[in-house]
């Protein structure tokens, strides 16, 4: 199978890494990719948002499967352009991707499908914004209706900060605050059959102790030892399958990766948001535990044959990812700084720990430089969360990037709790 992956972040590096380990993949390509992806795939300098160019590349490569990683190309219709050329695509149509592209559309789908979610108002005027903020009270949850690269949500006790964020958006969704821990659950679907992956939890805030601004995600872990063993079955029955069924009923079937961001509240599971693609950094830990070859799973979703696929196989162990971010992230990050220590991780920690590149590039001398806000995802596996976490942070310690930042508490509490429960 010849596979083309679209995108250039750590999520795409995780996808390319897993695909490169799949014996059925005979050629692996990525556009535009990054410095790390270049080690496992052939890179092509194609604009990921240009559907015609991506489709032309896929035809020229005689690709058997195209995997669209980020949300922006999906909302822009890149999957449609490739599908129109007769090539199987893992990724929803532009219409179905509105599940992520518009919070208001997602709320409408959930209401029709009776999917449990937060009560909300869609606002377009200052008057509507004030009414919604008054109706729900603090803490205020304000979401930009469009794509915002994981940073369009403000949760605050400060009504003026909430109002300022809302006024800066063309259209905004204001909703009730959902208490309880958050869970990310991915599901692969061909528009009818839905196959859930293993749940993960990510860390959105920039600093230790869940302090600081929201980011695209500073780390993640899987599995979730504290979660109800029936959680996946419950979400399948009340969230994932009803949503896929409703989109098919509307004539816009969703094929690809449906990502449910969930809150486990005192009143039960509630959907915080949907995404139309693999999440970053959760993908890094979920794929680290998936033993089923990835290409066959994605190809089955792209060709409507998921129902015939055997059950997925998973490792019994755990995985932890720690994101190394640039100076000043999530504000305008500093880029162009050299990254050292990558070879040390390979030599001393591999294959139990490895580095997935997010915002990197090579200069003319071949040195790896920072080229974005989130620069690297250091990922490690182990027999349990404590072991995986120790390996991840040991590898983080080998990497040098001037001014970089990372959280030191990724999976710390859950690893301690799990170890304590095991000791008891």
């Amino acid at each position: 199978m010849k596979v083309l992956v679209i995108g250039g972040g750590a999520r795409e590096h995780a996808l390319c890494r897993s695909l490169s380990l799949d014996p059925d993949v005979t050629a692996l390509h990525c556009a535009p990719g990054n410095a790390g992806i270049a080690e496992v795939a052939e890179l092509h300098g194609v604009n990921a948002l240009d559907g015609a160019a991506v489709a032309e590349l896929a035809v020229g490569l005689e690709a058997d499967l195209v995997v669209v990683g980020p949300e922006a190309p999906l909302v822009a219709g890149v999957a449609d352009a490739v599908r129109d050329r007769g090539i199987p695509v893992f990724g929803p149509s532009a219409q179905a991707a509105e599940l992520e592209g518009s919070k208001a559309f997602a709320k409408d789908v959930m209401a029709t499908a009776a999917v449990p979610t937060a009560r909300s108002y869609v606002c377009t005027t200052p008057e509507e914004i004030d009414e919604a903020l008054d109706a729900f009270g603090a803490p205020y949850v304000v979401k930009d209706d469009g794509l915002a690269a994981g940073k369009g949500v403000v949760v605050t006790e400060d009504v003026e900060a909430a109002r300022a964020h809302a006024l800066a958006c063309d259209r905004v969704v204001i909703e009730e605050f959902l208490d309880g821990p958050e869970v990310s659950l991915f599901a692969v679907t061909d528009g009818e059959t839905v196959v859930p992956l293993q749940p993960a939890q990510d860390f959105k805030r920039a600093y230790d102790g869940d302090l600081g601004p929201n980011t695209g995600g500073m780390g993640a872990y899987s599995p979730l030892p504290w979660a109800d063993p029936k959680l996946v079955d419950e979400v399948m029955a009340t969230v994932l399958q009803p949503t896929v069924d409703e989109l098919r009923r509307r004539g816009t079937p969703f094929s690809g990766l449906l990502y449910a961001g969930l809150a486990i509240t005192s009143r039960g599971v509630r959907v915080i948001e949907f995404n139309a693609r693999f999440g970053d950094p959760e993908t890094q830990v979920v794929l680290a535990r998936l033993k089923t070859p990835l290409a066959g799973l994605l190809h089955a979703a792209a060709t409507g044959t998921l129902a015939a696929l055997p059950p997925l196989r998973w490792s019994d162990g755990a995985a932890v990812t720690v994101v190394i971010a640039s100076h000043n992230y999530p504000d305008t990050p500093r880029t162009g700084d050299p990254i050292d220590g990558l070879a040390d991780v390979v030599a001393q920690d591999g294959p139990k720990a490895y580095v997935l590149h997010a915002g990197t590039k090579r200069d003319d001398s071949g040195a790896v430089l920072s080229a974005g806000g989130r620069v690297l995802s250091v990922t490690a596996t182990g027999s349990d969360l404590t072991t995986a976490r120790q390996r991840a942070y040991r590898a983080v310690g080998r990497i040098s990037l001037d001014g970089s930042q990372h959280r030191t508490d990724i999976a710390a509490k859950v690893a301690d709790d799990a170890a304590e429960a095991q000791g008891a």
Side-chain angles (χ1 to χ4, degrees), residues 244-279:
V244 169
D245 291 346
E246 171 60 19
L247 286 167
R248 188 174 68 254
R249 189 191 68 77
R250 292 181 179 216
T252 56
F254 188 105
S255 165
L257 195 289
L258 178 57
Y259 164 148
L262 309 164
I264 314 301
T265 77
S266 54
R267 293 168 294 143
V269 175
R270 297 288 186 272
V271 175
I272 300 169
E273 65 176 356
F274 282 124
N275 290 330
R277 39 71 193 181
F278 280 102

Side-chain angles (χ1 to χ4, degrees), residues 36-37 56 71 76 87 94 113 116 136 160 195 199 218 233 245 250 268 277 300 322 335 360 362 380 405 423:
I37 294 173
E56 201 60 43
E71 59 273 26
I87 296 174
F136 287 129
E160 291 307 321
V195 177
M218 295 298 290
D233 290 341
D245 291 346
R250 292 181 179 216
R277 39 71 193 181
V322 179
T335 59
T360 66
R362 288 192 185 274
Q405 55 177 314

Side-chain angles (χ1 to χ4, degrees), residues 76-266:
V78 169
D80 303 88
V82 176
R83 213 172 265 123
D84 287 346
R85 300 294 291 271
I87 296 174
V89 185
F90 183 80
S93 66
Q95 282 185 302
E98 279 298 288
L99 203 60
E100 176 170 5
S102 168
K103 301 286 191 297
F105 175 77
K107 287 290 187 183
D108 184 62
V109 170
M110 285 188 272
T112 308
V115 169
T117 187
R119 292 180 298 119
S120 63
Y121 295 104
V122 179
C123 306
T124 56
T125 68
E127 292 76 21
E128 290 173 344
I129 288 167
D130 288 339
E131 285 179 22
L133 292 173
D134 290 343
F136 287 129
Y140 303 97
V141 181
V142 184
K143 299 181 176 182
D144 190 336
D145 184 47
L147 295 180
K151 289 172 280 187
V153 179
V154 165
V155 180
T156 179
E157 298 279 347
D158 183 344
V159 68
E160 291 307 321
R163 182 178 285 113
H165 181 65
L167 290 171
C169 305
D170 289 333
R171 189 159 77 149
V172 69
V173 174
I174 297 174
E175 63 183 39
E176 66 175 327
F177 176 76
L178 296 174
D179 64 318
E182 295 184 12
V183 173
S184 299
L185 184 62
F186 303 160
V188 173
T189 178
D190 57 12
E192 290 193 32
T193 301
V194 181
V195 177
L197 305 186
Q198 289 283 305
Q201 188 174 56
D202 78 331
F203 294 75
K204 286 290 186 200
R205 298 286 185 172
Y207 311 130
D208 284 7
D210 288 329
L211 300 175
N214 260 348
T215 71
M218 295 298 290
Y221 70 91
S222 178
L224 313 182
W226 52 267
D228 187 326
K230 297 174 185 169
L231 174 65
V232 173
D233 290 341
E234 179 186 347
V235 176
M236 271 288 292
T238 63
V239 175
L240 297 170
Q241 193 71 56
T243 300
V244 169
D245 291 346
E246 171 60 19
L247 286 167
R248 188 174 68 254
R249 189 191 68 77
R250 292 181 179 216
T252 56
F254 188 105
S255 165
L257 195 289
L258 178 57
Y259 164 148
L262 309 164
I264 314 301
T265 77
S266 54

